[in-house]
């Protein structure tokens, strides 16, 4: 059985991705940090469909917790992780000059260094196994930049640089590293938008709708699979045509 570890799988895109990989026969390590109830509910849903999954609490910004998480997953599945999906992130809204240092350092600790922590742990198994796939979730704002989301945009641009460099470094070990840069997806992260803000964003999306978490999970499943073995270092942006 192939195994996947998905960070931030308690809600939104990560949750949908966990369900899809479980339905597709993967053993799923569900990482969560604070949303214990929805993580438990996800585990129950996966067990109900006969899937194989384990819940692991860890703050991805803490390297010791991440090391324990990978050890727990290894113990549960009896093998290392074949696919890592670095999905956990937080957003920060506000004028660049209004956001405090403690807030933007926390954002980078999660959105970028969380990925470093997880990739480092995952690679120790993948390199010895000469195979593996790492999928990093960025954002269209990491490509274009967003006003009032300067720190978030910068962290997501860094995810793209991280993806491209790591892809080159680990390709000789048979490991692919790719990036998904979603457009506007209907999850808790975009739930704060006012009706007016939603209309303004919709006007910019040629396909005329926000994406669903399933628009991202289906791409992650493809990138993790055997049909994507020749794809590495790429940034793919499911965004309804918002950025072309
Ligand atoms: P979401 O609904 O807010 O969910 C975020 C997830 O990240 C939660 O499961 C949360 O877990 C987890 N998380 C946050 N901090 C964590 C930490 N320190 N350690 C471990 N997990 C942590 O967000 P989403 O919309 O699904 O976003 C998923 C990814 O897509 C993110 O990388 C986001 O930047 C990206 N993205 C989203 C959109 C969008 O429009 N929604 C667009 C572009 C990119 P807990 O609740 O358990 O703490």
């Amino acid at each position: 059985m192939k195994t996947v570890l998905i960070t931030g799988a308690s809600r939104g895109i990560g949750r949908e991705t966990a369900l899809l990989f479980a339905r597709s026969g993967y053993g799923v390590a569900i990482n969560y940090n604070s949303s214990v109830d929805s993580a438990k509910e996800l585990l129950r849903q996966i067990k109900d469909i006969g899937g194989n999954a384990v819940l692991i609490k860890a703050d991805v910004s803490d390297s010791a917790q991440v090391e324990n998480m990978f050890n727990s997953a290894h113990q549960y599945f009896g093998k290392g992780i074949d696919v890592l999906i670095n999905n956990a992130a937080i957003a920060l809204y506000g004028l660049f000059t209004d956001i405090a240092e403690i807030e933007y350092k926390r954002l980078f600790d999660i959105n970028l260094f969380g990925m470093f922590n997880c990739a480092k742990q995952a690679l120790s198994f993948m390199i010895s196994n000469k195979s593996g796939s790492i999928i990093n979730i960025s954002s269209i704002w990491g490509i274009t930049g967003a006003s009032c989301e300067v720190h978030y945009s910068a962290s997501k641009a860094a995810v793209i640089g991280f993806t491209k460099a790591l892809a080159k470094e680990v390709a000789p070990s048979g490991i692919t590293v790719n990036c998904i840069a979603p457009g506007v997806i209907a999850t808790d992260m975009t739930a704060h938008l006012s009706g007016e803000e939603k209309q303004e964003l919709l006007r910019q999306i040629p396909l005329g709708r926000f994406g669903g978490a399933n628009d991202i999970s289906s791409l992650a499943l493809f990138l993790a699979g055997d049909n994507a073995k020749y794809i590495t270092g790429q940034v793919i942006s499911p965004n309804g045509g918002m950025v072309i």
Side-chain angles (χ1 to χ4, degrees):
M1 172 183 274
K2 276 199 165 191
T3 55
V4 60
L5 188 148
I6 305 166
T7 66
S10 49
R11 296 186 284 115
I13 291 169
R15 179 191 175 85
E16 185 70 24
T17 305
L19 272 169
L20 180 62
F21 274 72
R23 273 194 222 107
S24 307
Y26 281 79
V28 182
I30 301 165
N31 161 251
Y32 71 100
N33 187 36
S34 52
S35 302
V36 61
D37 291 340
S38 60
K40 280 184 178 164
E41 169 61 16
L42 171 64
L43 180 66
R44 193 192 57 71
Q45 265 182 274
I46 291 178
K47 298 269 178 189
D48 281 354
I49 56 167
N52 185 10
V54 60
L55 270 192
I56 312 177
K57 175 174 163 55
D59 178 340
V60 294
S61 70
D62 182 324
S63 58
Q65 290 186 37
V66 168
E67 187 174 353
N68 288 337
M69 169 167 73
F70 275 82
N71 288 339
S72 301
H74 199 143
Q75 248 180 329
Y76 178 82
F77 293 117
K79 61 171 288 200
I81 292 296
D82 299 301
V83 178
L84 166 65
I85 303 183
N86 274 318
N87 166 77
I90 58 169
L92 256 182
Y93 305 96
L95 288 174
F96 173 71
T97 43
D98 285 350
I99 291 178
E101 184 175 346
I102 191 169
E103 292 179 279
Y104 63 72
K105 287 199 164 159
R106 176 75 184 141
L107 175 128
F108 265 84
D109 279 346
I110 297 170
N111 293 12
L112 182 63
F113 299 124
M115 294 198 178
F116 283 27
N117 292 335
C118 293
K120 195 174 170 192
Q121 290 299 322
L123 281 169
S124 62
F125 170 74
M126 290 178 182
I127 288 171
S128 63
N129 204 34
K130 289 261 171 215
S131 148
S133 170
I134 296 177
I135 298 163
N136 301 319
I137 309 298
S138 174
S139 163
I140 41 164
W141 305 136
I143 299 171
T144 66
S147 168
C148 294
E149 289 191 74
V150 172
H151 305 86
Y152 177 80
S153 301
S155 74
K156 292 298 182 178
V159 168
I160 292 173
F162 168 61
T163 300
K164 292 181 177 182
L166 189 63
K168 288 182 179 171
E169 188 165 311
V170 300
S173 298
I175 299 161
T176 60
V177 187
N178 288 294
C179 179
I180 300 177
V184 185
I185 308 298
T187 67
D188 293 347
M189 199 174 264
T190 46
H192 70 282
L193 293 167
S194 68
E196 210 173 302
E197 286 168 327
K198 282 184 182 159
Q199 284 310 315
E200 177 49 38
L201 283 167
L202 280 170
R203 268 194 287 277
Q204 299 171 42
I205 302 173
L207 281 179
R209 66 168 177 90
F210 291 164
N214 59 315
D215 290 309
I216 308 306
S217 60
S218 52
L219 175 58
L221 185 69
F222 169 72
L223 287 173
D226 289 343
N227 290 331
K229 282 281 170 244
Y230 200 56
I231 301 175
T232 198
Q234 301 305 305
V235 180
I236 305 175
S237 184
N239 61 42
M242 190 176 184
V243 175
I244 293 179

